Amino acid sequence: MYDPTVARLTYRALLGRRRAAILLVLPALLLLIAAAVRMFAGADDQIASNVLGGFAIATMVPLIGVIAGTGAIGPEIDDGSIVYLLAKPVKRPTIIFTKLIVAIAVTMVFSALPTLLAGLILNGNGRQIAVAYTIAALVASIAYSALFLLLGTVSRHAVVLGLVYALVWEALFGSLVAGARTLSVQQWSLAVAQKVSGDGVVTSEVGLPLATVLLVAVTVAATWYAGQKLRALKLAGEE
């Protein structure tokens, strides 16, 4: 289910000079904000939670997920170069699974690691805040990567759709409509973080059992359906 050649090509596409520079912007901004907050406000648990929850989990992780998830396959479909990959003797679900692994790895590195560092800067992991939000970032990276990889497979407007979900549905509707939070990767990941912190400093609108089921279901369903959509693509000369 994992093809090293496909992985290498996907890493090269995602970590090219231009895309890597874009991926570095948000983590650098998070660390800059964390350093400034620590300098002016000191080590405060609630402020640390607000920064990590409000910027790292709510903004940075989904945006990096959009870049990595859609970028793992979307550009190849848009410019037609996917046909060269599909012509190789590699099963199409294997292509999707490999690209998903790469997208998850890239999203985790560029979101979870900066989240941990920012948490340590903000309050030295007091009350397990840094670890809790890092785990939330890791969990969210998996679901976002699967979801946005699917969008990259089915639509030429995957980036726009991803931004609509991340910034409009989760950030806007999620803050205004309580029911919308149930269908929010952000809230599912926070449910895991809430269990890790264990003392109310991290909160989620979704219970942990439901969040776990939804995280697994969305990841598996999105990966499966992306494989089916890629399987349905026909090359010239295919019967």
Side-chain angles (χ1 to χ4, degrees):
M1 290 298 293
Y2 181 84
D3 187 274
T5 301
V6 175
R8 185 174 65 253
L9 294 173
T10 306
Y11 275 118
R12 185 180 301 173
L14 286 179
L15 300 178
R17 183 177 302 176
R18 181 180 177 183
R19 198 177 297 272
I22 296 174
L23 287 169
L24 284 169
V25 170
L26 288 173
L29 182 58
L30 173 63
L31 294 176
L32 182 62
I33 292 173
V37 169
R38 179 60 184 268
M39 181 182 299
F40 292 107
D44 184 282
D45 293 341
Q46 189 58 55
I47 292 178
S49 181
N50 291 341
V51 171
L52 296 178
F55 184 81
I57 302 301
T59 302
M60 183 184 71
V61 179
L63 290 182
I64 290 177
V66 169
I67 296 171
T70 61
I73 195 170
E76 291 177 293
I77 294 178
D78 290 344
D79 62 20
S81 62
I82 190 70
V83 299
Y84 299 104
L85 184 58
L86 298 180
K88 303 297 181 181
V90 180
K91 294 181 180 179
R92 298 183 186 187
T94 297
I95 294 174
I96 287 295
F97 184 77
T98 302
K99 287 182 174 292
L100 174 63
I101 295 300
V102 173
I104 289 173
V106 170
T107 305
M108 285 181 172
V109 168
F110 284 92
S111 62
L113 183 57
T115 298
L116 176 61
L117 294 176
L120 294 175
I121 292 171
L122 285 164
N123 77 332
N125 195 37
R127 299 170 71 183
Q128 294 293 306
I129 290 175
V131 170
Y133 280 108
T134 299
I135 292 175
L138 291 171
V139 170
S141 294
I142 299 173
Y144 280 131
S145 295
L147 183 60
F148 297 139
L149 180 65
L150 171 61
L151 290 179
T153 306
V154 302
S155 175
R156 291 181 177 273
H157 307 289
V159 174
V160 175
L161 294 175
L163 291 175
V164 168
Y165 174 80
L167 300 180
V168 178
W169 178 263
E170 289 201 340
L172 180 59
F173 282 95
S175 64
L176 298 176
V177 183
R181 298 168 194 158
T182 304
L183 300 178
S184 168
V185 174
Q186 175 188 334
Q187 292 298 321
W188 304 341
S189 65
L190 287 176
V192 180
Q194 183 178 17
K195 179 66 174 180
V196 174
S197 64
D199 59 2
V201 70
V202 182
T203 60
S204 172
E205 299 293 331
V206 183
L208 182 59
L210 177 60
T212 302
V213 170
L214 291 173
L215 282 166
V216 173
V218 166
T219 301
V220 172
T223 304
W224 174 83
Y225 190 61
Q228 296 305 304
K229 294 298 292 184
L230 193 63
R231 190 196 299 270
L233 288 177
K234 298 295 184 180
L235 301 178
E238 274 191 335
E239 297 296 328

